Amino acid sequence: MSATRPATKTELKNYALRRLGFPAIDINVCDEQLDDLVEEAIDYYQEFHYNGSYKAFIKIEVTEAIKTAAQNAAQMGSTAWYEGQEFVSLPPGVLAVNHVYSQIGASSVTPGNMFNIKYQIFLNDIYGMTHGQILHYFMTSQYLETLDWVTNSSMNRRVRFNEHQGRLYLDFDWKELQAGDFIMVETQMRQDPDTYTGMYNDSWLKDYVEALFQQQWGRNLSKYDGIQMLGGVTLNGRQILEDASQFKKDQEESLRSMYELPPMDLIG
């Protein structure tokens, strides 16, 4: 890969160092610090940049072992408190759970048979929509889905997930599920840069890594701020730190305002 188009962590690290002036000048940051900063930048990119994660569907087959474990409770230490174990484990890299689909809680709104409301509306209004009047149908569909979410006892409102636990808690009666049934989980997954190496060449990520390197450089030098070197050169790590901190802040603000996915609008 071209020197200006990094495709690995090492190439990205070397690219950011060259932008700071290396090897023409020494960058007083050790390799361990640089590696930590690259990981920090990737984590931030994955959490907030729209290209840092992707939607994925995970299919979980219900087994008797899963049902038995979910219906038991675990004692919390040596206390008299017990915690429910109604969860299934999700793979590493899951940022969030958007939706859970199962055979529990049949809905009269979501498609699936000719008697649901959306099917009947579409059937009766299909001729009107041929003249371009689809806005009313779209808004009505959005409203019906919101109404279904509020009134229907679906799984989606009984879901708990924490990324650091890696557990998807499903608060419903597990006896309603049978071995061999499936649960479909719509998730948001972290993009793996080692698999999709184009991520290392993202313009925002390269700028952010440079800002982190410069900030760490300034922190290191600021410990010797004001010391005069041979030849009359005076270290000014504080100025480097201030410039880098502003650069980093500008990059984070641009990410949140320009590259982060906006919250979805709600019609209802």
Side-chain angles (χ1 to χ4, degrees):
M1 182 64 71
S2 170
T4 58
R5 298 177 61 85
T8 65
K9 290 180 183 178
T10 300
E11 291 178 359
L12 177 59
K13 180 173 66 174
N14 293 336
Y15 173 82
L17 287 173
R18 289 195 300 273
R19 288 182 60 170
L20 289 174
F22 185 83
I25 60 175
D26 288 332
I27 307 299
N28 307 103
V29 185
C30 67
D31 284 337
E32 291 82 0
Q33 289 177 316
L34 296 176
D35 292 337
D36 291 343
L37 293 171
V38 170
E39 292 292 340
E40 179 183 337
I42 291 174
D43 285 342
Y44 197 84
Y45 181 90
Q46 290 173 329
E47 290 181 15
F48 296 106
H49 200 290
Y50 69 87
N51 270 335
S53 62
Y54 63 96
K55 183 185 294 185
F57 292 88
I58 299 175
K59 184 173 68 172
I60 302 173
E61 183 177 2
V62 178
T63 63
E64 289 295 341
I66 291 178
K67 289 183 60 179
T68 301
Q71 296 177 58
N72 293 329
Q75 187 174 5
M76 302 176 67
S78 59
T79 67
W81 302 97
Y82 289 83
E83 181 182 8
Q85 301 295 297
E86 306 88 357
F87 69 85
V88 290
S89 297
L90 294 182
V94 176
L95 272 175
V97 172
N98 299 327
H99 204 99
V100 177
Y101 305 90
S102 80
Q103 293 129 326
I104 296 178
S107 170
S108 61
V109 173
T110 54
N113 60 75
M114 65 179 297
F115 299 105
N116 70 73
I117 298 174
K118 290 183 70 174
Y119 181 87
Q120 292 297 322
I121 292 176
F122 183 83
L123 183 65
N124 294 325
D125 295 344
I126 184 64
Y127 294 105
M129 286 187 289
T130 58
H131 301 289
Q133 302 298 323
I134 64 172
L135 179 60
H136 174 71
Y137 173 76
F138 177 78
M139 294 181 65
T140 302
S141 298
Q142 294 291 306
Y143 174 75
L144 289 174
E145 290 178 4
T146 303
L147 187 65
D148 177 60
W149 187 86
V150 172
T151 59
N152 186 50
S153 58
S154 63
M155 290 179 62
N156 202 44
R157 288 187 293 130
R158 293 176 284 172
V159 168
R160 293 176 287 131
F161 174 74
N162 183 285
E163 180 187 3
H164 302 300
Q165 286 183 317
R167 295 176 173 181
L168 174 63
Y169 284 87
L170 303 171
D171 301 319
F172 63 90
D173 187 1
W174 281 78
K175 295 178 182 178
E176 298 180 31
L177 286 175
Q178 304 297 323
D181 289 345
F182 288 93
I183 299 172
M184 186 71 72
V185 185
E186 179 187 321
T187 65
Q188 200 70 21
M189 300 286 295
R190 291 177 181 269
Q191 190 90 276
D192 182 11
D194 293 327
T195 302
Y196 306 100
T197 56
M199 181 172 157
Y200 288 119
N201 192 45
D202 183 86
S203 59
W204 183 90
L205 183 61
K206 290 190 290 188
D207 287 341
Y208 193 64
V209 170
E210 179 189 354
L212 293 180
F213 284 11
Q214 185 179 354
Q215 188 181 55
Q216 187 62 57
W217 182 25
R219 284 201 185 105
N220 292 349
L221 289 181
S222 65
K223 296 176 175 57
Y224 306 98
D225 203 31
I227 296 179
Q228 191 171 25
M229 308 294 289
L230 295 176
V233 177
T234 302
L235 293 177
N236 192 0
R238 184 65 56 185
Q239 186 61 50
I240 296 176
L241 177 59
E242 290 177 0
D243 293 345
S245 297
Q246 184 61 48
F247 184 24
K248 176 175 176 286
K249 180 181 178 182
D250 293 341
Q251 288 301 114
E252 291 175 350
E253 289 179 352
S254 71
L255 173 63
R256 304 302 297 271
S257 61
M258 298 174 58
Y259 299 108
E260 184 178 17
L261 287 175
M264 297 297 292
D265 294 331
L266 178 65
I267 299 177

